[in-house]
Amino acid sequence: MEAAGRYPIAIKIKGIGHSVPKKLVTSDELERKYKLEAGWCSRKLGISGRYWVTKESAAELCAQASAEAFQKADIDPGEIDLILNASNTFDRILPDQSIQIKDKLNLTDPQIGCISVNCGCLSALAALDLGGALIASGVAKQILIVASLISSPGFNEKNIQESAALGDGAAALILGAAKPQEDSCLYGARMETYSGAHGIKGFKGMKEHETLFSKDILFDDLTFEFDSQTMQQEGMKYNKNFVSRLFPVDKKCLQMIIPNQSTRIASDMMKLMFPSRKVFTVIDQYGNIGAAGHIMALYHAVENNLIKRGDLVLLHGMGAGLSIYGVLLKY
Amino acid sequence: MEAAGRYPIAIKIKGIGHSVPKKLVTSDELERKYKLEAGWCSRKLGISGRYWVTKESAAELCAQASAEAFQKADIDPGEIDLILNASNTFDRILPDQSIQIKDKLNLTDPQIGCISVNCGCLSALAALDLGGALIASGVAKQILIVASLISSPGFNEKNIQESAALGDGAAALILGAAKPQEDSCLYGARMETYSGAHGIKGFKGMKEHETLFSKDILFDDLTFEFDSQTMQQEGMKYNKNFVSRLFPVDKKCLQMIIPNQSTRIASDMMKLMFPSRKVFTVIDQYGNIGAAGHIMALYHAVENNLIKRGDLVLLHGMGAGLSIYGVLLKY
């Protein structure tokens, strides 16, 4: 999407919340249990712990994160008119996960719409971008954006190196119009998609022309395969000057850069382009929580007073495709 | 979403396309093969034929439908800036289906963004509503909306009565801004979501607190169960006066009503509220093609000159949740 000149859009993140399952799984535990070298998870993945569900559902975690976001925003849940669910995984095929979240929040007003938005790990950025358009056009007034990933129930113990990188969790925010005297806005947003695999080899165990819901697929055999070196190289190539294409803002004005919290590659890449101290991640304590990562990092940045109202924050992500999404917020 | 007063939005459907797999499966064939009473499919389901994939992927069908939509709109595919995929099923977990469709269309311009939108069988209506907001706010200029369902590879022959109701297929449209002298617009849109199951019993074979991607789920055992009588009763209750809540337009002004093409219930219900001759369906020739149904019906309505520019057309759907979506178009 090319939309220079349409921004800024006067929106404001009014409150942010988060939720993780009760069970914390430390890297020490995993290394002992699976006979990995001590310190392997921290060194190789940059992760010291992650949370894995026991009985929690994605909708429950989303509802908890949303409840905290409502509280932080100091608004009544009934004051929203739309739930935009940007989760990577869902509890049931039907009804849509956004509706399951509404049910868990006990929101009975039928006028609160429920829609899901997806573009892999960049889904929360797409939800912010679409949310801005919905508010700017007047189609929605106040939106709950919520994202989650629950992948641990599908783990294959044979691939512990891969499973160890993943965490379960949810994060949510309330998006509304900024008042005329407020400085907050969506300063710009840009998505670029480059055809081709770019290091993503896809899923081992899935044949060409096989549909995901085919009965011939053995879920146990599905392993996501990618070549991290190729991904990083291609990513660097396409990311060059991405920020100036997004918005001609002096990089020095950026207070914080939040990359996707999927692998170390994403943050390492941003550290080559921006001062390390400005690149903020929470992967160490949560692992890769998919599309929930951006909002989770933003939550911690705000809670720890690392950013304040009016600061320019770049939410950036690279996803399978290869896609690049940048959302530039005046928080 | 409550957005009265924000509409009309000056958008126009510039072209519509469709695609189905090569293999037509007639109801006669199925009745013979599975020893069903002759005429059972027509009588019970209202379906005389449906298309099932042999080797076609969802992305391929989507690309074919999109190519026809570009041709009908007489625009170059490179003139869109966003693909909004509103499909119910997808070929791969990653990258997002919208990107796989872009690849199949050989669209190499990185500025064409790719996002998926989902709310079950109402996804195409959500895409039209969000598309309107994106164009009104200037965030996107011209959008490809494409929807598909491929469910036949997962069929369980034990449940042939259910499988017989489903078809595979795709449909697409190009959404752009209407010129000042053009009459076309999004006259209004409304989504209502009512908590609770409302006759949807969910999936047999799936335990409470079980995540869809859990390795414990046997896909063969998953059967969607619902109580059609309860659904219709509850649907009628909530649909009463829905159209006047959507927009205070005299029902007589509506040229056509396109219900979701999922089951006969949806069209039967609309026929209780509107003159039968105005309720248009294509379920007889395609079966239930999920979110692709609305655009597929619109395609045939336009191709057969049943509606013309400036006519008021209501796209209406009830989905699991229970959700009701209405999109009122001045075609």
Side-chain angles (χ1 to χ4, degrees):
Chain A
M1 280 186 282
E2 174 196 31
R6 303 301 172 166
Y7 300 97
I9 289 176
I11 48 125
K12 184 184 177 184
I13 293 176
K14 297 190 170 181
I16 315 175
H18 80 308
S19 175
V20 287
K22 284 205 186 89
K23 187 178 147 197
L24 168 67
V25 180
T26 67
S27 289
D28 290 351
E29 273 174 67
L30 284 185
E31 287 156 7
R32 278 195 304 272
K33 185 170 173 191
Y34 292 98
K35 301 194 178 16
L36 295 167
E37 200 185 317
W40 181 89
C41 291
S42 291
R43 221 170 34 246
K44 184 83 179 171
L45 308 172
I47 301 168
S48 59
R50 78 286 292 148
Y51 297 83
W52 287 351
V53 292
T54 41
K55 282 285 173 203
E56 300 94 338
S57 70
E60 280 164 7
L61 293 184
C62 286
Q64 284 162 14
S66 303
E68 186 184 3
F70 285 123
Q71 191 204 323
K72 291 276 159 66
D74 195 21
I75 68 159
D76 185 84
E79 290 175 50
I80 58 163
D81 48 7
L82 177 64
I83 297 174
L84 270 186
N85 166 55
S87 300
N88 297 114
T89 48
F90 38 100
D91 296 308
R92 299 278 179 277
I93 300 170
L94 282 172
D96 184 67
Q97 185 72 13
S98 55
I99 296 174
Q100 299 183 48
I101 295 166
K102 186 180 174 188
D103 275 0
K104 287 283 177 208
L105 281 166
N106 292 315
L107 288 174
T108 54
D109 180 356
Q111 289 186 30
I112 300 173
C114 296
I115 296 172
S116 288
V117 165
N118 208 305
C119 56
C121 292
L122 311 180
S123 300
L125 304 187
L128 274 165
D129 198 6
L130 294 182
L134 286 163
I135 289 170
S137 64
V139 169
K141 291 189 191 78
Q142 199 148 242
I143 302 171
L144 166 65
I145 293 176
V146 54
S148 68
L149 178 77
I150 292 195
S151 53
S152 66
F155 284 169
N156 187 339
E157 299 207 341
K158 286 182 280 182
N159 301 308
I160 187 63
Q161 283 92 332
E162 199 172 285
S163 307
L166 291 159
D168 299 334
L173 60 82
I174 312 297
L175 194 70
K179 290 182 190 135
Q181 71 274 24
E182 288 175 328
D183 209 16
S184 304
C185 68
L186 176 57
Y187 212 65
R190 186 180 183 89
M191 185 191 203
E192 293 180 3
T193 303
Y194 295 88
S195 300
H198 307 288
I200 291 165
K201 296 175 186 170
F203 288 85
K204 195 175 160 185
M206 203 163 176
K207 294 186 284 285
E208 183 66 15
H209 281 115
E210 198 165 52
T211 299
L212 184 60
F213 294 102
S214 163
K215 57 187 173 224
D216 300 325
I217 290 188
L218 296 171
F219 266 66
D220 259 13
D221 291 342
L222 284 182
T223 312
F224 183 50
E225 292 189 307
F226 66 98
D227 165 3
S228 59
Q229 213 181 342
T230 306
M231 268 187 85
Q232 182 152 8
Q233 279 165 1
E234 304 261 303
M236 276 305 289
K237 188 171 76 189
Y238 295 122
N239 256 305
K240 213 186 151 199
N241 302 323
F242 175 80
V243 177
S244 50
R245 290 197 297 278
L246 164 61
F247 213 85
V249 65
D250 185 347
K251 280 185 186 181
K252 284 182 194 146
C253 299
L254 289 174
Q255 187 63 27
M256 179 175 279
I257 295 97
I258 298 180
N260 46 341
Q261 314 279 313
S262 48
T263 66
R264 239 189 192 168
I265 302 171
S267 52
D268 285 354
M269 220 166 55
M270 296 316 274
K271 284 176 185 169
L272 292 172
M273 294 191 277
F274 299 96
S276 284
R277 63 183 166 76
K278 289 194 175 183
V279 178
F280 183 67
T281 71
V282 292
I283 194 168
D284 171 63
Q285 61 198 106
Y286 296 110
N288 176 3
I289 51 171
H294 281 111
I295 303 177
M296 184 68 96
L298 197 59
Y299 170 83
H300 285 281
V302 170
E303 289 293 303
N304 296 308
N305 297 311
L306 301 175
I307 53 170
K308 56 181 196 307
R309 289 293 176 190
D311 279 350
L312 266 185
V313 178
L314 172 66
L315 304 175
H316 178 279
M318 263 183 43
L322 179 147
S323 290
I324 309 175
Y325 222 127
V327 169
L328 192 55
L329 286 174
K330 211 170 208 180
Y331 171 72
Chain B
M1 282 185 281
E2 173 195 33
R6 305 298 173 169
Y7 300 96
I9 290 176
I11 49 126
K12 184 184 178 185
I13 293 177
K14 298 190 170 182
I16 316 176
H18 81 309
S19 175
V20 287
K22 283 204 187 91
K23 187 178 149 199
L24 168 66
V25 181
T26 66
S27 289
D28 290 351
E29 273 175 68
L30 284 185
E31 288 157 6
R32 278 195 304 272
K33 184 170 175 193
Y34 293 99
K35 302 192 180 11
L36 295 166
E37 200 185 317
W40 181 88
C41 291
S42 289
R43 222 170 33 248
K44 182 83 179 173
L45 309 171
I47 301 169
S48 60
R50 78 286 293 146
Y51 298 84
W52 287 351
V53 292
T54 41
K55 282 285 174 204
E56 300 94 339
S57 69
E60 280 163 7
L61 293 183
C62 286
Q64 284 163 14
S66 304
E68 187 184 2
F70 285 122
Q71 191 205 323
K72 292 274 159 67
D74 195 21
I75 69 160
D76 185 84
E79 290 175 49
I80 57 162
D81 49 5
L82 177 64
I83 297 173
L84 271 186
N85 164 56
S87 300
N88 297 115
T89 48
F90 39 99
D91 297 307
R92 300 278 179 276
I93 300 171
L94 282 173
D96 183 67
Q97 186 71 11
S98 55
I99 296 174
Q100 298 183 48
I101 295 166
K102 186 180 173 188
D103 276 1
K104 288 282 176 209
L105 281 167
N106 291 315
L107 288 175
T108 53
D109 179 356
Q111 289 187 30
I112 301 172
C114 297
I115 296 172
S116 288
V117 165
N118 208 305
C119 56
C121 292
L122 311 180
S123 300
L125 303 188
L128 275 166
D129 198 6
L130 294 183
L134 286 163
I135 289 171
S137 64
V139 168
K141 290 188 192 77
Q142 199 148 243
I143 304 171
L144 166 65
I145 293 176
V146 54
S148 69
L149 177 77
I150 291 195
S151 55
S152 66
F155 283 169
N156 187 339
E157 300 207 340
K158 286 182 282 183
N159 301 309
I160 188 62
Q161 283 92 333
E162 199 171 285
S163 307
L166 291 159
D168 299 333
L173 60 82
I174 313 295
L175 195 69
K179 291 182 189 135
Q181 71 273 24
E182 288 175 328
D183 210 17
S184 303
C185 67
L186 176 58
Y187 212 64
R190 185 181 183 90
M191 186 192 201
E192 294 180 3
T193 303
Y194 296 88
S195 300
H198 307 290
I200 291 165
K201 295 176 183 168
F203 288 85
K204 195 175 158 184
M206 203 162 173
K207 293 187 284 284
E208 182 66 16
H209 281 116
E210 198 166 51
T211 299
L212 185 60
F213 294 102
S214 163
K215 58 188 172 223
D216 300 326
I217 290 189
L218 296 171
F219 266 65
D220 259 13
D221 291 342
L222 284 183
T223 313
F224 183 52
E225 291 190 309
F226 66 97
D227 166 2
S228 60
Q229 210 182 342
T230 305
M231 266 186 87
Q232 181 152 8
Q233 280 166 1
E234 305 260 304
M236 276 304 289
K237 189 171 76 188
Y238 294 123
N239 257 306
K240 213 186 153 201
N241 301 323
F242 175 80
V243 177
S244 51
R245 290 196 297 277
L246 163 62
F247 212 84
V249 65
D250 185 347
K251 280 185 189 182
K252 286 181 194 147
C253 299
L254 289 174
Q255 187 62 28
M256 179 175 279
I257 295 97
I258 297 179
N260 47 342
Q261 313 280 313
S262 48
T263 66
R264 239 189 192 168
I265 302 171
S267 54
D268 286 354
M269 218 165 57
M270 298 316 274
K271 284 176 185 169
L272 292 172
M273 294 191 276
F274 299 96
S276 284
R277 63 182 164 78
K278 289 194 175 182
V279 178
F280 184 67
T281 71
V282 291
I283 194 167
D284 171 62
Q285 61 197 106
Y286 296 111
N288 177 4
I289 51 170
H294 281 110
I295 304 177
M296 184 68 96
L298 197 59
Y299 171 83
H300 285 280
V302 170
E303 287 295 303
N304 296 309
N305 297 311
L306 302 175
I307 52 171
K308 57 180 195 307
R309 290 292 176 191
D311 279 350
L312 266 185
V313 179
L314 172 65
L315 303 175
H316 178 278
M318 263 183 42
L322 181 145
S323 289
I324 309 174
Y325 220 128
V327 170
L328 191 56
L329 287 175
K330 210 171 210 179
Y331 172 72

